[in-house]
Amino acid sequence: MSVDVKVGFLGAGNMCQSIAGGMISSGTVKVENIIASARTEGGLSKVRSMGIRGTLDNCQVIKECSVIFLAVKPHILPGVLKQIAEAVTEDKLLVSVVNGTTNKEIEGLVGKSVPVMRTLPNTPVQVKSGVVAAYPGTHCTPSHTALCTSLMEPLGLFSILPSEGLIDVVSGLCGSSPAFLFMMVDAMADAGVRMGLPRQVAASLAAKTMEGSAKMVLECEEHPMQLASNVCSPGGTTIEGVYRLNRAGFKGTVMDAVIGSVEKTQGKEMRYNY
């Protein structure tokens, strides 16, 4: 269902492209109702190739749109918010996808009672199979939450978290983990190639296997480890592979990767033991 609203993006990078691409492909927002800004003409080339209007003027985005996505890098955000503060009015909804920046920090930089919704989408929103976690700011009303939900829910699993601090956890669990899963698909494909499969066939088979396995976790009423156990015959091929993964510390390595991503988001000092 199409949402009749003009949507703007401050920042035209990967996250803008993923969210806007998902909105367009799902029919949630018409492409002509989306505009994005960047610091250079080169930064707008990809969004323009998607049919999205581009501008170098952040304030133009604010003036034209009622929902504005903050999609710039964290270190750039304070300067951008100071630049647009005068143009922002209290009838706008700011949706932040900036990692590690709280609602209160954004509210303070804008200096007005503007509704802010902090979100954490991951890149699979581009293909309508993503995850979006959100937490409303001080000045968000139920209608703001409903509007954000209507825009983001078609992109995948949308969830309002019970506390804002949990967004940092979702950042590691869902925001960073697509990279880990892409690496898993690549490793599986490499193994297939090593054993004789053509690369494209191996990559497609590995990706589809991951997709189907994830679907079983979501739809079957069994614990993931029970689903794994169901595939393992005594003395069989699968338990041999599971043994080798366990011997290599597979579960602990995956947990460590997610926890490390969360702690990096939280600003904790990274310590490496090699």
Side-chain angles (χ1 to χ4, degrees):
M1 185 180 71
S2 179
V3 180
D4 186 20
V5 65
K6 289 193 174 181
V7 175
F9 290 85
L10 301 182
N14 290 335
M15 192 50 68
C16 164
Q17 294 160 32
S18 295
I19 296 171
M23 288 179 175
I24 294 166
S25 64
S26 65
T28 305
V29 180
K30 295 178 180 178
V31 67
E32 59 265 30
N33 287 338
I34 301 176
I35 183 172
S37 65
R39 291 184 292 174
T40 65
E41 289 289 342
L44 294 170
S45 59
K46 287 190 177 179
V47 291
R48 282 176 171 159
S49 72
M50 298 166 64
I52 296 169
R53 286 187 299 133
T55 178
L56 302 180
D57 184 359
N58 288 330
C59 290
Q60 181 185 348
V61 176
I62 301 298
K63 290 172 184 175
E64 288 193 22
C65 302
S66 54
V67 179
I68 299 97
F69 282 80
L70 307 176
V72 298
K73 299 293 185 183
H75 68 281
I76 296 174
L77 183 65
V80 170
L81 290 177
K82 288 177 183 177
Q83 182 189 56
I84 65 169
E86 188 174 337
V88 174
T89 53
E90 295 176 9
D91 60 339
K92 310 288 186 180
L93 172 61
L94 300 182
V95 181
S96 172
V97 299
V98 181
N99 202 14
T101 305
T102 66
N103 285 325
K104 280 193 175 181
E105 288 171 334
I106 295 171
E107 291 164 357
L109 286 165
V110 174
K112 298 177 183 177
S113 300
V114 175
V116 179
M117 178 74 72
R118 184 181 176 189
T119 67
L120 192 289
N122 62 7
T123 53
V125 296
Q126 186 170 359
V127 292
K128 298 176 287 184
S129 294
V131 169
V132 184
Y135 191 80
T138 306
H139 308 295
C140 271
T141 66
S143 63
H144 292 124
T145 300
L147 175 57
C148 188
T149 302
S150 66
L151 289 171
M152 305 293 269
E153 203 168 43
L155 308 184
L157 178 64
F158 181 84
S159 177
I160 299 291
L161 297 179
S163 70
E164 186 175 1
L166 291 175
I167 286 186
D168 290 342
V169 180
V170 176
S171 175
L173 181 63
C174 304
S176 300
S177 62
F180 312 154
L181 298 175
F182 296 147
M183 292 171 68
M184 180 72 172
V185 169
D186 183 61
M188 292 169 65
D190 275 354
V193 172
R194 171 68 177 80
M195 301 309 294
L197 283 173
R199 176 161 295 281
Q200 187 54 52
V201 172
S204 297
L205 291 173
K208 193 64 180 178
T209 300
M210 184 169 288
E211 179 189 35
S213 301
K215 191 172 184 180
M216 287 185 70
V217 172
L218 291 171
E219 296 184 4
C220 299
E221 296 182 358
E222 290 185 281
H223 190 278
M225 285 310 300
Q226 182 60 50
L227 292 172
S229 180
N230 294 345
V231 189
C232 296
S233 301
T237 57
T238 303
I239 194 63
E240 177 64 25
V242 169
Y243 160 69
R244 295 190 185 202
L245 285 173
N246 285 336
R247 188 174 63 179
F250 176 74
K251 187 170 185 177
T253 300
V254 173
M255 289 178 66
D256 198 37
V258 173
I259 292 168
S261 296
V262 173
E263 291 179 339
K264 183 75 171 181
T265 300
Q266 293 171 335
K268 294 183 179 178
E269 183 181 354
M270 296 293 99
R271 297 179 181 179
Y272 306 101
N273 297 315
Y274 295 112

